[in-house]
Amino acid sequence: MCGIIGYVGPQGSDVTSILLDGLSKLEYRGYDSAGIAVLTTAGTLELRRRAGKIAKLVSSVENGSRPNKGSLGIGHTRWATHGRPNDINAHPHPDCTGILTVVHNGIIENYAELRRELTEQGHSFRSETDTEVLSHLIERYYMGEAYAIAVVSSEQPKLIIGARYGGGPLVVGLGENEQFLASDIPAILTHTRRVLIIDEGEIVALRPQSVTISRLDGTPVEREPLTIDWDAQAAEKGGYPHFVLKEIFEQPEALRRALLGRVRQGQLQLTELERMRQAGLLEGIQRIIIVACGTSYHAGLIAKYAIEQWARVPVETITAAEFRYCNPIVGPETLCIAVTQSGETADTLVGIRQAREHGAPVIAVTNVVASAITRLSDAVLYLQAGPEIGVVATKTFISSVTVLYLLGLWLGQQRGKLTAEQVQSLLASLEQVPGQIQQILDRAASTDDVIAPLAKRMARNTSMIFIGRGVGYPTALEGALKLKEISYIHAEGFPAGELKHGSIALLDPDTPLIGVATASHVYEKVVSNIQEVRARDAHIIVVATEGDEVIRQHADDVLYVPATEEIFSPLLASIPLQLFAYHAAVTRECNVDQPRNLAKSVTVE
Ligand code: F6R
């Protein structure tokens, strides 16, 4: 979603380049306009704002309107919530005097009321945004309250104020005689790896030689910097045409990293859960609720099958946006698992906060160190996947599913439902999966590839149906989500047996169907559902297990994956579906890394 960058350093710095570079590193979060404000050596705040991609802002700056050098500035990528994505609504937003200017991530829910009050008091508004309310409020009180904001004033040429209240992340990058403020680590990684994470309810003051953090009530906060071990290159394309493709190809490594330090010689150790176990928080667990959104929700649906099978405890997977408002029955006997790669998804955070208030123990599964979810959880299982820059989740999906498998095996063992030998044997199969994903990827990168040509042929269709049963069902849902997200082809996933209860009416020769029919105890059933569809003349594509020649009789195209345990099959079956979506999107000339209207971390409800 929206992104913030701020810089304060010596007089005469090339603030414009630093801000534009930082914004380009935040592009992956998703946005539809961008802007910067630079305090020049002349002491004036110069604003440049443009609807559309950062390239438009860069070219307008390069074509004659580059702000002079200066000492500080702030920049922003805006994902429109209040008001259309145009030049006027783009951030930063100045106050009436032009002395103060503000960038802001999140939503100000009472903005209409504030705007009315401020207008009555004589403030004049230029944009339709909720953010502009802040600049006028700060003008009135010289202090503000919001989600994540950065404020500069031409009367304070060596000071940036950042504040965080609510969801949006905010980090400070520590430099020599210069400091950086950003809504995400990749934005500052080329300048420094030493960062301070700003917590909810904190204000940070950045000056060239110092950074001070305090609570909203003024209490000073001492915080040790973290050293980020992602190298800047991990956030570069590394020769791939798109981040999404690079990240699909990184999946064998991502899966290995999820197992790293947790699986050793057939033994499973989740030391992250030890404190929770010792505190007895997991003893009386009678049910589990997995709370997540989008792709993480699909990972949670797969985990339901695994945890119920191995730990024999009922599991419900609920989309976070519904969980919050369904008056959930949770208490100390309900373990809540939050799955969120970004750790900042507002719906998930709010739902988990509510579950905690009812006494539920919480385990977070996330990729981002020190993200907001980690502070709401009793234990954190990190994905260890490295940065994911493509807006759509690919490698973090595979990592989330893997970490949830480990959690399921651990719970199964702790509850005495799985023997050490059973765990060992399942882990041995899981450890084979990175090599098996590599085989799928090697084939896809070779002249034997069948996925790209197929996706190219199918890319002219406007609608596609995905079906699966058992763990094949959430795999189908994820395949459909990937396709619609990046290629904008309408796609829906269904449980294979459910299709004939209504949705089969959608099928015609122009609506291809992708069936997930890997080896499983419901294989025959899926095949008979596929036959029902074939009788309606739909083009049939099937993801099947290598060696299954029979499936060719029922399909127009078959995408083979290696054999594994049924429960682990989503890790393999998802790969051709990701590649299919990718090639369909490239054929349709879509913006694969930053699909329209999408954001990497959805920090508003
Ligand atoms: C799909 C995608 C979104 C996210 C969803 C949850 O490719 O990226 O559906 O999965 O917004 O995000 P996290 O996992 O950060 O909570």
Side-chain angles (χ1 to χ4, degrees):
M1 262 188 169
C2 305
I4 289 177
I5 180 81
Y7 172 81
V8 56
Q11 202 47 269
S13 302
D14 187 0
V15 181
T16 301
S17 297
I18 293 170
L19 296 180
L20 291 175
D21 176 64
L23 289 182
S24 72
K25 302 277 169 29
L26 292 171
E27 281 203 285
Y28 76 98
R29 292 174 65 86
Y31 70 104
D32 32 43
S33 61
I36 56 171
V38 175
L39 183 60
T40 63
T41 30
T44 50
L45 265 172
E46 292 204 23
L47 259 67
R48 303 288 183 268
R49 300 178 295 182
R50 279 286 174 275
K53 292 295 171 196
I54 289 167
K56 280 198 178 168
L57 178 66
V58 172
S59 74
S60 83
V61 163
E62 298 307 344
N63 292 330
S65 72
R66 190 181 187 86
N68 288 332
K69 293 191 172 175
S71 58
L72 66 75
I74 51 180
H76 193 257
T77 45
R78 170 176 186 251
W79 189 82
T81 57
H82 297 69
R84 300 179 68 76
N86 56 28
D87 292 359
I88 299 289
N89 289 336
H91 298 205
H93 287 286
D95 66 350
C96 294
T97 62
I99 290 174
L100 272 169
T101 186
V102 177
V103 294
H104 153 240
N105 290 355
I107 286 181
I108 299 166
E109 290 191 344
N110 59 341
Y111 97 102
E113 194 184 317
L114 290 169
R115 187 175 171 125
R116 199 171 43 247
E117 262 177 43
L118 288 159
T119 309
E120 277 164 19
Q121 288 163 8
H123 293 262
S124 60
F125 283 78
R126 301 174 190 93
S127 76
E128 302 158 85
T129 64
D130 51 346
T131 306
E132 199 184 341
V133 161
L134 275 178
S135 23
H136 295 283
L137 260 184
I138 298 169
E139 180 187 359
R140 191 173 76 182
Y141 293 117
Y142 228 80
M143 59 181 271
E145 184 180 338
Y147 282 70
I149 62 169
V151 188
V152 294
S153 161
S154 55
E155 292 184 344
Q156 299 282 343
K158 293 194 169 167
L159 177 67
I160 300 180
I161 298 288
R164 178 178 175 187
Y165 186 81
L170 206 56
V171 298
V172 170
L174 301 171
E176 295 290 325
N177 300 325
E178 56 182 5
Q179 318 294 347
F180 305 83
L181 183 69
S183 48
D184 222 341
I185 292 166
I188 51 179
L189 221 49
T190 44
H191 303 285
T192 177
R193 306 238 184 115
R194 291 177 63 233
V195 304
L196 294 167
I197 309 284
I198 304 305
D199 233 327
E200 263 188 57
E202 289 180 350
I203 296 182
V204 60
L206 293 87
R207 295 181 176 83
Q209 267 95 20
S210 70
V211 173
T212 51
I213 308 176
S214 57
R215 305 281 315 157
L216 282 176
D217 63 8
T219 325
V221 174
E222 291 293 325
R223 179 149 311 140
E224 282 300 309
L226 295 175
T227 303
I228 301 299
D229 62 2
W230 300 350
D231 58 28
Q233 271 206 323
E236 305 288 341
K237 282 190 202 146
Y240 286 89
H242 300 101
F243 281 110
V244 168
L245 190 62
K246 176 181 177 238
E247 286 153 7
I248 290 173
F249 274 78
E250 281 172 353
Q251 291 182 114
E253 186 53 25
L255 204 159
R256 283 191 195 99
R257 288 174 63 119
L259 303 181
L260 201 69
R262 294 170 175 150
V263 179
R264 263 193 225 112
Q265 291 160 350
Q267 305 289 316
L268 173 63
Q269 275 197 332
L270 294 185
T271 47
E272 301 95 321
L273 302 183
E274 264 321 291
R275 261 220 328 250
M276 240 182 134
R277 192 182 65 81
Q278 281 166 12
L281 289 179
L282 297 166
E283 260 161 31
I285 295 303
Q286 287 166 23
R287 61 198 273 263
I288 295 177
I289 294 186
I290 302 178
V291 181
C293 303
T295 289
S296 294
Y297 168 70
H298 297 154
L301 286 177
I302 295 167
K304 171 185 161 69
Y305 291 87
I307 299 173
E308 287 190 340
Q309 183 174 318
W310 295 330
R312 304 308 297 157
V313 56
V315 181
E316 225 180 315
T317 303
I318 311 183
T319 56
E322 288 301 318
F323 177 70
R324 181 189 176 185
Y325 294 104
C326 71
N327 193 8
I329 305 164
V330 286
E333 74 302 330
T334 314
L335 171 64
C336 282
I337 304 173
V339 188
T340 163
Q341 57 80 24
S342 65
E344 303 287 348
T345 298
D347 288 320
T348 308
L349 294 177
V350 174
I352 288 299
R353 198 172 285 127
Q354 200 180 47
R356 275 184 84 85
E357 280 162 16
H358 288 91
V362 175
I363 297 175
V365 174
T366 186
N367 197 32
V368 180
V369 175
S371 55
I373 195 67
T374 64
R375 287 184 285 277
L376 293 177
S377 309
D378 298 288
V380 183
L381 292 170
Y382 283 110
L383 304 183
Q384 306 174 164
E388 185 176 68
I389 306 297
V391 165
V392 295
T394 52
K395 70 172 174 174
T396 57
F397 169 67
I398 292 299
S399 306
S400 300
V401 174
T402 305
V403 167
L404 288 165
Y405 283 143
L406 296 182
L407 177 55
L409 290 171
W410 189 87
L411 288 168
Q413 208 167 9
Q414 294 292 318
R415 295 170 69 87
K417 306 292 179 193
L418 287 179
T419 62
E421 291 71 33
Q422 285 171 313
V423 172
Q424 199 164 14
S425 148
L426 286 160
L427 287 175
S429 298
L430 188 55
E431 285 184 296
Q432 299 296 312
V433 175
Q436 294 174 314
I437 296 179
Q438 193 61 56
Q439 286 171 31
I440 303 172
L441 295 172
D442 288 347
R443 203 182 313 137
S446 75
T447 47
D448 291 341
D449 178 37
V450 291
I451 304 173
L454 176 65
K456 275 184 196 137
R457 275 190 280 129
M458 295 294 128
R460 61 174 176 79
N461 290 291
T462 51
S463 190
M464 287 189 74
I465 303 285
F466 288 65
I467 59 169
R469 270 182 190 248
V471 283
Y473 164 50
T475 310
L477 289 180
E478 177 57 11
L481 182 62
K482 282 290 93 71
L483 184 66
K484 69 183 128 185
E485 280 181 312
I486 58 174
S487 75
Y488 316 145
I489 295 173
H490 172 247
E492 295 298 329
F494 297 100
E498 179 64 19
L499 197 65
K500 59 183 168 297
H501 296 289
S503 309
I504 200 164
L506 294 171
L507 290 172
D508 63 22
D510 293 326
T511 307
L513 176 128
I514 297 196
V516 179
T518 45
S520 76
H521 73 294
V522 286
Y523 170 79
E524 302 293 344
K525 300 276 176 205
V526 180
V527 171
S528 71
N529 297 135
I530 288 172
Q531 282 170 320
E532 289 157 12
V533 173
R534 202 149 204 230
R536 270 86 197 167
D537 286 337
H539 186 101
I540 309 282
I541 301 161
V542 174
V543 179
T545 304
E546 276 164 12
D548 178 359
E549 289 303 322
V550 176
I551 199 71
R552 289 195 186 275
Q553 299 163 21
H554 308 295
D556 298 291
D557 294 281
V558 182
L559 307 176
Y560 282 112
V561 297
T564 183
E565 291 283 336
E566 175 179 344
I567 196 74
F568 298 139
S569 59
L571 294 174
L572 297 172
S574 298
I575 311 299
L577 299 183
Q578 293 171 344
L579 287 164
F580 182 87
Y582 171 77
H583 289 296
V586 170
T587 307
R588 291 165 69 96
E589 297 181 1
C590 298
N591 186 341
V592 181
D593 284 336
Q594 294 152 34
R596 68 184 180 207
N597 306 336
L598 299 191
K600 185 72 187 163
S601 54
V602 183
T603 51
V604 296
E605 275 188 78

